[in-house]
């Protein structure tokens, strides 16, 4: 039994090892983050635009997007946070990036 299940009050079914979805997704983690280094700022900006477009396709209510560019190591560091209105949208967004 994992620590996650020990901490929850979920009732498991021995036959299928199922747990209630509310145990896994409780709407406390609605932010997805992305960090990546680029040799040029225009590459980082293009990536931020693509990620923003994907977030807009998932959102049911406006997603709060915080984009940060930092000049580092002869390039640009992109750090971006996407805060969705619910954890399900966050998960859908993250799975879509794989």
């Amino acid at each position: 039994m994992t620590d996650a299940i020990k901490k929850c009050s979920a009732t498991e079914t021995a036959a299928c090892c199922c747990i209630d979805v509310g145990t896994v997704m409780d709407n406390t983690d609605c932010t997805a983050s992305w960090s990546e280094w680029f040799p040029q700022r225009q590459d980082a900006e293009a990536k931020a635009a693509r990620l923003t477009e994907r977030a807009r396709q998932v959102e049911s209510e406006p997603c709060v997007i915080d984009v940060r560019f930092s000049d580092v190591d002869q390039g640009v560091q992109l750090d971006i946070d996407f805060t969705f209105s619910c954890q399900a949208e966050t998960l859908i967004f993250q799975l879509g990036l794989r």
Side-chain angles (χ1 to χ4, degrees), residues 4-23:
I5 294 175
K6 287 179 188 175
K7 292 177 185 177
C8 299
S9 60
T11 303
E12 288 188 76
T13 304
C16 70
C17 299
C18 299
I19 61 172
D20 181 58
V21 172
T23 304

Side-chain angles (χ1 to χ4, degrees), residues 6-7 19 26-27 29 31 34 51 60-61 63 69 71-72 76 82 85 91 94 97:
K6 287 179 188 175
K7 292 177 185 177
I19 61 172
D26 59 2
N27 260 356
D29 185 10
T31 302
W34 184 276
L51 290 171
S60 62
E61 295 180 23
C63 176
F69 299 99
D71 294 324
V72 293
V76 176
F82 302 89
S85 62
L91 183 60
Q94 291 170 322
L97 295 178

Side-chain angles (χ1 to χ4, degrees), residues 3 8 10-12 20 27 30 32 34 37 40 44 48 52 56 59 65 69 76 78 84-85 88 93:
D3 288 333
C8 299
T11 303
E12 288 188 76
D20 181 58
N27 260 356
C30 296
W34 184 276
W37 178 88
Q40 298 179 355
T52 297
R56 297 294 179 217
E59 68 186 0
I65 301 173
F69 299 99
V76 176
L78 167 64
F84 292 90
S85 62
F93 175 72

Side-chain angles (χ1 to χ4, degrees), residues 31-98:
T31 302
S33 299
W34 184 276
S35 294
E36 190 173 345
W37 178 88
F38 296 88
Q40 298 179 355
R41 185 177 181 97
Q42 66 190 26
D43 297 332
E45 290 172 348
K47 181 67 170 205
R50 287 191 305 273
L51 290 171
T52 297
E53 176 58 31
R54 292 187 90 162
R56 297 294 179 217
Q57 293 171 355
V58 171
E59 68 186 0
S60 62
E61 295 180 23
C63 176
V64 177
I65 301 173
D66 178 27
V67 181
R68 298 170 307 282
F69 299 99
S70 307
D71 294 324
V72 293
D73 300 326
Q74 299 177 341
V76 176
Q77 177 71 33
L78 167 64
D79 295 298
I80 185 167
D81 294 323
F82 302 89
T83 303
F84 292 90
S85 62
C86 68
Q87 191 172 1
E89 291 176 354
T90 307
L91 183 60
I92 291 166
F93 175 72
Q94 291 170 322
L95 291 173
L97 295 178
R98 293 179 180 221

